Amino acid sequence: MSHKDESEQVRLNKYIAQCGICSRRDADKIIEEGRVSVNGQPALAGTKVNPGDVVKIDGKRIKLVTDTKVYAYYKPEGVVCTQRDAHAQRTVATEIKTPVKVNYAGRLDANSSGLLILSNDGELINRMMKSSNNHEKEYVVRVDKEVNGAFLRQMAGGVYIEDLDVTTKRCKVVKTGRNSFRIILTQGLNRQIRRMCKALGYNVRELMRIRVLNVELGSMKPGELREVTGRELTTLYSKCGLRKDTASN
């Protein structure tokens, strides 16, 4: 790799994400697997990319995304958020078609429904997924028995999840019906709400994500996909500490 102005260098995992291939975390994995080369040489973790460098994954050159897109998708129950499960009959990739390759920020398990944010902007996805940014995600939940005051207080104050050996962050919880509540999280542990409820003796019957940051599910129908544009888009970028010129969108 040629020696150029270091201010123009970008870490390889960030560059791969900016090309819309995958998240930085997944980029680290494919680098470790030896699938990435820079200027014909096998890449290592921490490799820096200069302008003009040729980066390839599995022998195919990748390039930076110039036309970024963001979509909101209403994931129905039964649709799996993965491309790696060969046994899944319905995945996000098979259910929807977008004009550009996209990744999603934060998964929903197969039995949950609601809002997924998808984009080919790797830096946006990375900012949204970073737990230290404390971005809000809102859910409506129905459980198998009556929601009482003790349950609401414990959920809001933090629940110890034994199999993860972690206590969840404080959050906002509001009762919406005899067996239902609304909850706003700022962290994204795997199956977090289901685990929190289980630890308190409750089982989740229905779980739907209705908001991510400022983007809301609103009146969308299951399976519907819409592009995020205008003020909604600029606000989303702003909340992630990024700027977005929407003139071309």
Side-chain angles (χ1 to χ4, degrees), residues 104-243:
Y104 36 80
R107 299 178 179 182
L108 286 169
D109 65 60
N111 296 325
S112 301
S113 65
L115 181 64
L116 271 182
I117 303 297
L118 307 102
S119 179
N120 63 344
D121 188 334
E123 187 58 27
L124 176 67
I125 294 292
N126 184 67
R127 296 285 183 96
M128 293 181 70
M129 292 182 67
K130 199 168 184 179
S131 60
S132 60
N133 288 335
N134 295 317
H135 291 149
E136 289 189 350
K137 297 176 289 292
E138 185 171 356
Y139 304 79
V140 289
V141 187
R142 185 174 65 85
V143 289
D144 60 344
K145 55 186 178 181
E146 185 172 2
V147 172
N148 56 33
F151 172 83
L152 294 172
R153 287 191 296 273
Q154 288 174 292
M155 288 287 284
V159 177
Y160 177 67
I161 301 176
E162 186 173 1
D163 60 332
L164 298 180
D165 191 25
V166 66
T167 298
T168 60
K169 292 182 180 179
R170 295 181 63 86
C171 61
K172 300 175 184 177
V173 188
V174 177
K175 183 173 181 175
T176 57
R178 185 179 184 277
N179 289 35
S180 61
F181 62 93
R182 181 167 47 86
I183 182 169
I184 299 174
L185 300 180
T186 57
Q187 67 184 136
L189 301 175
N190 183 34
R191 298 174 65 85
Q192 180 172 339
I193 296 172
R194 294 180 187 277
R195 281 185 155 116
M196 291 170 73
C197 290
K198 189 74 172 179
L200 299 179
Y202 287 70
N203 293 302
V204 171
R205 294 295 183 227
E206 292 181 15
L207 191 155
M208 178 188 295
R209 184 157 64 202
I210 60 172
R211 178 173 64 87
V212 176
L213 288 158
N214 65 298
V215 181
E216 298 184 3
L217 194 64
S219 59
M220 292 178 70
K221 302 294 190 294
E224 183 179 343
L225 179 78
R226 67 175 177 86
E227 187 173 352
V228 179
T229 59
R231 185 183 296 274
E232 184 180 36
L233 184 66
T234 55
T235 301
L236 175 63
Y237 269 79
S238 177
K239 285 181 175 291
C240 292
L242 300 168
R243 294 186 63 181

Side-chain angles (χ1 to χ4, degrees), residues 12-13 15-17 19-37 42-45 55-58 60 62 84 101:
L12 181 57
N13 62 352
Y15 180 86
I16 293 172
C19 290
I21 303 301
C22 58
S23 67
R24 289 194 202 180
R25 186 182 304 172
D26 286 341
D28 287 332
K29 293 178 183 177
I30 63 176
I31 294 168
E32 290 174 7
E33 291 167 358
R35 296 167 53 193
V36 185
S37 67
L44 301 173
V55 180
K56 294 183 179 181
I57 296 177
D58 298 330
K60 184 177 180 180
I62 62 173
R84 301 186 180 91
K101 177 180 171 60

Side-chain angles (χ1 to χ4, degrees), residues 64-84:
L64 292 173
V65 171
T66 56
D67 183 19
T68 57
K69 296 289 185 181
V70 180
Y71 299 94
Y73 171 55
Y74 186 156
K75 187 195 85 68
E77 287 187 24
V79 174
V80 179
C81 288
T82 182
Q83 298 177 358
R84 301 186 180 91

